[in-house]
Amino acid sequence: MLATLVAWGCGGGETGGGTGAPRTDSAGRGGTVVVAARAEIPGVNPLVAPPDYFASQIERYVLLMPLVQLGPDLQPEPWLARSWDLRADSSQVVFHLRDDVKWQDGQPVTAGDVAFTFRKAKDPDVPFPNRAYFDRWDSVKVEGPHTVRFWLRPYSQFLFGWTQVPIVPEHVLGDVPDSALASASFNATSPVGDGPFRFVIHEQGDRWVFEANPDFPADLGGPPRVDRIVYRIIPDESTELTELERGDVDLYLKLPPDQLSTVRADTSLDVLTFPSPTYAFVAWNTRRSMFSDARVRRALTMAMNRRQILQTVQAGLGSVATGPLGPWHWAYDTAWRPIPYAPDSARALLAAAGWTDTDGDGVVDLNGRPFRFELLTNPSQTRQDIAVMLQADLARVGVDLVPRTREMASLGQAIQSSKRLFDAFLLSWTEDMVIDDRDYWACDRRDDPLQFSGYCDPTLDAIMDSIPRALDRDRKRRLLRRYAEMVEEAQPFTFLYNQDGAVALRRSLRGVSVDVRGELRTAARWWLVPRSR
Amino acid sequence: MLRYSGRRLLGAIPLLLGIVTLTFILLHLAPGDPTTAYFNPNIPPDVIEQMRRNLGLDRPLPVQYLDWLRSFFTGHFGYSFSQHRPVAAVIGDALPNTLLLSGISLVLIFVLGCAAGVVQAVRQYSAADQVLTLLALAIYSVPGFWLGLMLILLVSSPVLSGWLHLPISGMVSIDHEYLGWWGRVADRARHLVLPVIALGLASAAGVARYMRGSMLEVVGQDYIRTARAKGLPERRVILGHALRNALLPIVSLLGLYLPLLFGGTVVIEYVFSWPGMGRLLYNAILARDYPVVMAATFLFGALVVLGNLLADLLYAAVDPRVRYDGR
């Protein structure tokens, strides 16, 4: 048996019948790019798929087309919409669509598709996960095959939703009843695209295959340079890295920091990093008396050696946080400095708040109660490591942190339920690109699932309410900075670090550009250096 | 025999019903539901509520249970929460992959295990016996995932990967769609090599130990001495007379290994990116995809029942002393 296998092995990809896979020609056109991700995506229908970082990118940059795209300064630029007219009072907007875009089944993309996508997104029976995008968009009217008018209530960054939600085909999904939309075959079995790539095949849990769309409009960059993109699911990190080193994977998404040095040491591989909206934080339950005092929360932050944590768990990929706004955001102020690591000042601050070690047991106490609390976190190795480092840091100022690990679904239950059965928790997550954090801090949302900390400050509320109403970018920048500084001052969360995104790729793959808009953004412009051997 | 099997299968019905009911209760006792498993701060609460309603999670538990039972008896097992497809289709995708992987492993386990065991027994205390014993013990004590990772590193080492470019993950190559029929079969087979070895080798080592012991017992019997005394060639003595009787206890192992193999695939499928039942069940538990977990648990339960029945029937088939149907 082995002998036969060796025989198969020798030929590599060259043996076997058929025509063989497309290869890169000498001008660097053609070929197949293999992208590896650790998890399957829940589908490519933006109307019903639960939010997923990579599914959204495949929708926007590979398979489908949004009306507008985010430019380098995160301002909207034309994409499926050739242009748009905004009425002076910002209450109406007319999109003029391109007339040269077709679905992969040959049907033209029309204003009807745009209106259909909008109506479904607004339909209460459709579980559209990003309803907030179109909260202030009221109605739509098709005014021509490629002209569509919307009525809305003005707010800042009003086009953002249209950069995130691509248009879906009405002639495919129009007959599907709302209740069946979540299980439509369009979602993961037979999607119909109009983007730079077309859908070829999807094997659940294994791979998605896309091929270049030869009809993609020339002034949007024309057809992609590569023939195919294979999006493979490889759950194990070691296997993923080995595939990249062997050359069977070209682009490795979400490179874990502990593999960074291995990839950097390999001369055939490159690492690209970018500031991302992902951050790690500790949320304090300010409903509990020990965390109700802002001085205590600040002291705890000062006791944490966050730079060391960043070095240890992230291999330095990121920056120590200066508040809720990270360096990826256009309103970030480069003059911001993180709260310093200062255990002595932390001890003094705790003493000022009444916490001193009266019984000499090494743990500070107040009214006979020692400062002891549980830090909940999920079973990620990174988070467990951070929890242990925090435990050691806080022990140095006489605070007894007890790390507790809970599986994600049950952790979510504990921190979101109205009883809030937790002292503090440690997580990391990815922020939406439009900052509206009222769900976390607004006084009138204290009983809502996401108001974990229970923090309330009417002044902060007023600022947060004015942010979405600020139409002028400079004014909005000022408000966002004021907001971020107030949250940093109050420390309802301890923001640990902002994480940099990282991808590893083979040097033979060119044209990859990564930033906060995503790793797959330039997929249509990727190209492969012809193999020398 | 038929009556006996029928009785056993009938008896399995309340057992399986008990298994799924218990699974249902345990699943709902665990904190969280599919919407908390998504846990994304960017989804507003009312959308979460809508999702819960769409999934039918807002209804009382007994109603959900009866609803599931009904979908179970109509054969489509309900809808997967995370894949938004009928569970029957979800399992229909994953089950063949696992059956392929574990089926071939099973063959490897018994062929390799029995062959090694026979060789060891026939040449008891020889160098071959000692080496195989040591090897079997070593392999048996190695966890499957570690063996898998080591195999991956081994075939990817610069020396080996040059002339033996074995795939280390996935089920097919990226140019699979461009291959002819034979090319596709060969492609599949190449992707099976490492996972099958990683999944089967440890169990094969176990079978070898059993086989050696069983064979040693048989070759010491009087009728083997008689066969030799008659002047039968050693080959016929061993393969014709001794092997048949020594295989008896091994047959009952077959029934036990069947469910064990399915359990083992969870780790192997993860390491080798094999989209089968093990990974499906693992992801479904994390995502609180109740209908998929229930259906998969039912399948695993049914497999244990069938495996045991199969072992008993095979036992009767090879051993004339064993008779069912009480005659």
Side-chain angles (χ1 to χ4, degrees):
Chain A
M1 184 173 176
L2 258 180
T4 337
L5 294 172
V6 172
W8 282 332
C10 283
E14 272 79 15
T15 53
T19 50
R23 303 195 157 269
T24 318
D25 66 18
S26 54
R29 288 198 83 92
T32 300
V33 174
V34 182
V35 180
R38 269 188 292 286
E40 174 66 287
I41 58 172
V44 290
N45 184 347
L47 289 176
V48 289
D52 181 273
Y53 184 67
F54 288 119
S56 165
Q57 290 193 44
I58 288 176
E59 290 162 13
R60 286 178 288 144
Y61 303 133
V62 176
L63 187 67
L64 300 168
M65 288 181 76
L67 283 178
V68 283
Q69 272 202 334
L70 288 175
D73 54 353
L74 301 189
Q75 298 277 41
E77 289 179 352
W79 195 241
L80 180 62
R82 204 185 282 281
S83 63
W84 58 92
D85 308 320
L86 186 63
R87 236 171 74 158
D89 63 354
S90 301
S91 67
Q92 287 177 33
V93 61
V94 178
F95 289 103
H96 305 283
L97 308 189
R98 306 186 60 93
D99 54 9
D100 54 355
V101 181
K102 285 189 165 63
W103 298 106
Q104 69 182 74
D105 58 9
Q107 297 280 323
V109 180
T110 65
D113 293 320
V114 178
F116 171 76
T117 305
F118 174 73
R119 288 199 184 105
K120 286 292 170 188
K122 293 288 281 186
D123 187 339
D125 292 329
V126 173
F128 176 59
N130 296 302
R131 198 153 290 157
Y133 288 158
F134 302 120
D135 256 359
R136 300 169 72 87
W137 292 68
D138 295 320
S139 53
V140 61
K141 187 172 163 233
V142 175
E143 299 199 327
H146 300 103
T147 314
V148 59
R149 180 184 298 271
F150 286 96
W151 283 262
L152 67 151
R153 284 159 285 155
Y155 65 106
S156 71
Q157 287 178 286
F158 68 99
L159 282 179
F160 182 77
W162 288 118
T163 68
Q164 302 298 299
V165 182
I167 305 305
V168 295
E170 179 177 22
H171 70 280
V172 176
L173 288 167
D175 295 334
V176 181
D178 286 349
S179 57
L181 207 53
S183 53
S185 63
F186 176 87
N187 307 355
T189 317
S190 54
V192 173
D194 61 346
F197 290 88
R198 293 169 166 178
F199 173 81
V200 177
I201 193 175
H202 171 217
E203 295 279 350
Q204 180 69 37
D206 188 46
R207 71 197 196 283
W208 293 73
V209 181
F210 304 96
E211 66 180 9
N213 173 3
D215 302 327
F216 198 66
D219 57 318
L220 295 179
R225 293 187 64 172
V226 296
D227 287 325
R228 301 201 309 163
I229 290 182
V230 179
Y231 187 87
R232 286 194 54 197
I233 293 101
I234 305 178
D236 186 72
E237 289 170 5
S238 326
T239 311
E240 216 172 353
L241 179 61
T242 312
E243 286 281 34
L244 181 77
E245 287 172 328
R246 287 160 52 112
D248 291 334
V249 160
D250 299 296
L251 178 64
Y252 172 1
L253 301 171
K254 294 231 167 180
L255 178 72
D258 59 352
Q259 293 182 344
L260 193 65
S261 54
T262 316
V263 175
R264 285 208 168 127
D266 189 327
T267 52
S268 61
L269 307 179
D270 255 335
V271 177
L272 301 177
T273 66
F274 60 99
S276 81
T278 303
Y279 60 87
F281 63 97
V282 175
W284 309 110
N285 187 355
T286 67
R287 298 170 191 84
R288 309 237 151 142
S289 58
M290 66 178 108
F291 298 123
S292 62
D293 188 333
R295 285 175 299 177
V296 171
R297 301 192 298 263
R298 196 177 181 82
L300 294 173
T301 306
M302 293 174 100
M304 298 173 181
N305 191 345
R306 294 181 289 167
R307 184 157 306 281
Q308 189 186 43
I309 291 172
L310 179 67
Q311 281 305 330
T312 312
V313 301
Q314 278 294 117
L317 278 182
S319 55
V320 175
T322 57
L325 271 193
W328 63 273
H329 197 271
W330 53 268
Y332 180 81
D333 187 343
T334 49
W336 282 338
R337 293 288 169 266
I339 295 174
Y341 168 57
D344 291 333
S345 315
R347 254 188 301 268
L349 210 49
L350 280 174
W355 292 96
T356 47
D357 186 8
T358 55
D359 50 7
D361 65 349
V363 177
V364 295
D365 50 76
L366 179 63
N367 304 330
R369 286 186 52 201
F371 202 141
R372 180 171 292 127
F373 69 97
E374 279 188 4
L375 181 72
L376 296 184
T377 192
N378 66 343
S380 125
Q381 189 57 51
T382 307
R383 244 82 69 202
Q384 316 244 1
D385 292 349
I386 298 176
V388 172
M389 281 184 267
L390 290 181
Q391 184 178 30
D393 281 345
L394 294 194
R396 245 167 258 139
V397 298
V399 172
D400 189 10
L401 180 160
V402 184
R404 281 262 182 281
T405 305
R406 292 257 201 106
E407 182 249 8
M408 198 58 215
S410 78
L411 174 67
Q413 172 92 352
I415 61 178
Q416 294 189 83
S417 79
S418 54
K419 293 193 196 105
R420 311 279 182 191
L421 296 173
F422 70 98
D423 300 325
F425 68 86
L426 162 69
L427 276 182
S428 98
W429 63 39
T430 303
E431 201 50 77
D432 206 343
M433 267 195 272
V434 171
I435 301 288
D436 181 354
D437 287 345
R438 282 177 290 186
D439 279 335
Y440 301 158
W441 329 113
C443 297
D444 60 349
R445 299 188 191 181
R446 282 187 79 176
D447 294 325
D448 290 351
L450 297 182
Q451 233 282 32
F452 311 109
S453 70
Y455 180 75
C456 169
D457 173 1
T459 323
L460 183 67
D461 275 13
I463 291 177
M464 287 193 298
D465 284 340
S466 62
I467 291 173
R469 289 200 300 264
L471 298 185
D472 171 64
R473 210 168 207 214
D474 288 328
R475 181 174 145 69
K476 180 154 177 162
R477 179 181 287 116
R478 278 197 304 278
L479 286 167
L480 276 168
R481 286 184 175 176
R482 181 85 192 98
Y483 151 75
E485 283 158 10
M486 284 186 75
V487 172
E488 174 73 347
E489 186 62 34
Q491 291 284 308
F493 284 6
T494 290
F495 298 92
L496 292 171
Y497 56 79
N498 301 303
Q499 199 171 312
D500 279 356
V503 298
L505 67 161
R506 297 203 60 84
R507 293 222 166 130
S508 52
L509 175 62
R510 303 292 170 82
V512 180
S513 166
V514 295
D515 59 30
V516 69
R517 292 169 289 170
E519 291 89 334
L520 309 180
R521 186 176 54 86
T522 58
R525 306 272 60 83
W526 291 349
W527 61 282
L528 289 160
V529 177
R531 293 207 175 174
S532 45
R533 62 184 159 94
Chain B
M1 191 88 101
L2 265 180
R3 235 182 42 222
Y4 172 78
S5 313
R7 223 169 42 233
R8 284 276 297 262
L9 287 175
L10 271 180
I13 292 176
L15 178 71
L16 289 174
L17 208 62
I19 291 175
V20 291
T21 309
L22 207 64
T23 311
F24 184 86
I25 294 171
L26 283 175
L27 271 177
H28 284 87
L29 278 180
D33 69 28
T35 56
T36 49
Y38 285 143
F39 193 62
N40 183 323
N42 301 321
I43 316 180
D46 63 306
V47 174
I48 302 254
E49 253 334 288
Q50 177 66 40
M51 284 173 164
R52 291 181 52 106
R53 266 200 305 282
N54 287 358
L55 298 177
L57 293 169
D58 54 338
R59 298 166 308 158
L61 275 187
V63 177
Q64 289 186 43
Y65 176 67
L66 288 176
D67 202 52
W68 186 82
L69 270 191
R70 194 170 55 240
S71 74
F72 171 72
F73 281 115
T74 52
H76 76 87
F77 294 89
Y79 274 88
S80 156
F81 294 166
S82 58
Q83 292 191 26
H84 306 290
R85 304 190 287 155
V87 172
V90 171
I91 293 204
D93 274 354
L95 189 62
N97 298 341
T98 293
L99 284 181
L100 184 69
L101 179 58
S102 42
I104 295 181
S105 297
L106 206 62
V107 173
L108 175 92
I109 287 171
F110 281 91
V111 172
L112 211 66
C114 291
V118 169
V119 169
Q120 283 183 276
V122 172
R123 312 214 186 291
Q124 198 186 2
Y125 303 132
S126 70
D129 182 27
Q130 310 276 15
V131 169
L132 279 175
T133 298
L134 194 73
L135 214 64
L137 229 64
I139 293 172
Y140 196 68
S141 10
V142 164
F145 80 92
W146 189 83
L147 184 64
L149 287 177
M150 288 306 117
L151 283 172
I152 288 178
L153 288 183
L154 186 73
V155 302
S156 302
S157 64
V159 186
L160 270 182
S161 67
W163 58 275
L164 178 82
H165 200 86
L166 269 183
I168 58 170
S169 70
M171 290 199 309
V172 294
S173 304
I174 56 160
D175 56 358
H176 188 75
E177 288 89 25
Y178 296 88
L179 299 174
W181 195 85
W182 281 110
R184 289 187 189 200
V185 173
D187 189 39
R188 280 275 162 141
R190 290 184 45 201
H191 280 81
L192 271 165
V193 175
L194 293 188
V196 162
I197 294 176
L199 184 61
L201 215 52
S203 302
V207 169
R209 300 303 296 156
Y210 280 111
M211 191 68 205
R212 179 180 182 271
S214 167
M215 195 72 182
L216 279 177
E217 203 180 305
V218 171
V219 288
Q221 304 269 341
D222 290 343
Y223 68 91
I224 296 294
R225 201 177 323 137
T226 312
R228 283 193 178 128
K230 279 197 301 187
L232 278 181
E234 184 67 9
R235 220 183 144 74
R236 271 196 66 192
V237 173
I238 296 298
L239 296 182
H241 294 252
L243 183 63
R244 278 190 63 177
N245 285 299
L247 273 177
L248 290 182
I250 305 299
V251 163
S252 53
L253 275 183
L254 183 72
L256 296 180
Y257 268 119
L258 211 57
L260 206 72
L261 263 181
F262 273 73
T265 55
V266 178
V267 173
I268 297 301
E269 285 174 4
Y270 184 83
V271 170
F272 290 101
S273 316
W274 194 267
M277 287 295 292
R279 248 173 82 197
L280 179 73
L281 180 60
Y282 176 72
N283 287 331
I285 291 173
L286 286 188
R288 296 284 192 275
D289 195 340
Y290 301 144
V292 171
V293 178
M294 302 271 289
T297 321
F298 168 77
L299 271 181
F300 278 74
L303 211 66
V304 175
V305 171
L306 278 180
N308 281 326
L309 178 63
L310 197 70
D312 288 349
L313 292 182
L314 276 175
Y315 215 72
V318 292
D319 190 343
R321 287 168 301 182
V322 179
R323 279 279 172 274
Y324 301 116
D325 289 347
R327 238 176 304 152

